[in-house]
Amino acid sequence: MTTSGILRAAFSGIALAAVGATANAAPMTYEIDSNHTFPAFEADHLGGISILRGKINSTAGTIVLDKEAGTGSVDIAMQMASIDFGHDGLSDHARSPDMFDVEQFPTATYTGELVDFEDGSPTAVDGTLTMHGESQPVTLTINSFVCRQHPQQGREVCGADATAMINRADFGVDFAQNFGFLMDVTLRISIEALVAE
């Protein structure tokens, strides 16, 4: 091979490597796995007497992640009629106009940006929670974030465990505040998302 041929081959290899690196670094979109994603919460009962725990059973949305750039976004929708305390009466009451009024406000949403990346993984989400017709800033702390090949789906899956504290009265859900119930609610959110096909 001539010198010019060697140079052309070398430059072609460099160009292909650059294209491959760019492709690998492109943002990836992940779809929420609703079978393994359950926003959960802990709320006060009777001013510190006990803690009521529940979850949202129907959740959908997407996560966009660029590990190389250290950026990403979250867009989640929760069907509030699926709220579940493990007690039919309490779940029905939570859906009523006294509390979440799911007929008027059927969907809660959380949108935000993945931030504070460490070793390619986000450690927080700066976002906005819209619930019961009210929008408030909510920052999620990501306690764990892991991505790997799914053994059954044959594509990458990412999972996260995140927490935050909100005041439910900020969202107009202040039922029983006059009875001494505390308004602080702890969010404990477990998410799995599969790379979009």
Side-chain angles (χ1 to χ4, degrees), residues 32-120:
I32 293 296
D33 180 353
S34 59
N35 292 318
H36 296 92
T37 298
F38 298 100
F41 50 86
E42 298 176 350
D44 171 70
H45 186 241
L46 293 174
I49 293 296
S50 65
I51 295 174
L52 298 175
R53 293 181 172 89
K55 61 189 175 75
I56 305 298
N57 285 329
S58 180
T59 302
T62 57
I63 295 170
V64 177
L65 176 63
D66 189 330
K67 298 175 186 177
E68 295 294 327
T71 60
S73 61
V74 175
D75 189 351
I76 308 294
M78 297 157 278
Q79 301 306 313
M80 297 306 291
S82 73
I83 194 167
D84 183 4
F85 281 91
H87 182 284
D88 290 345
L90 185 54
S91 298
D92 288 342
H93 188 210
R95 298 181 189 112
S96 77
D98 277 349
M99 298 184 72
F100 293 100
D101 195 358
V102 300
E103 288 194 12
Q104 185 174 356
F105 306 106
T107 305
T109 61
Y110 182 77
T111 58
E113 301 298 318
L114 299 170
V115 296
D116 300 335
F117 279 66
E118 295 180 3
D119 299 322

Side-chain angles (χ1 to χ4, degrees), residues 126-184:
D126 283 342
T128 299
L129 175 63
T130 299
M131 179 174 66
H132 197 247
E134 299 288 338
S135 296
Q136 297 289 336
V138 173
T139 297
L140 295 175
T141 297
I142 299 177
N143 304 306
S144 67
F145 188 95
V146 177
C147 295
R148 61 168 58 106
Q149 189 76 358
H150 195 291
Q152 296 170 310
Q153 297 287 341
R155 49 189 165 135
E156 188 176 53
V157 60
C158 292
D161 175 73
T163 56
M165 180 77 75
I166 64 170
N167 184 316
R168 62 182 174 92
D170 291 343
F171 297 89
V173 185
D174 58 1
F175 176 80
Q177 186 173 26
N178 59 334
F179 298 154
F181 282 49
L182 304 178
M183 296 292 101
D184 288 342

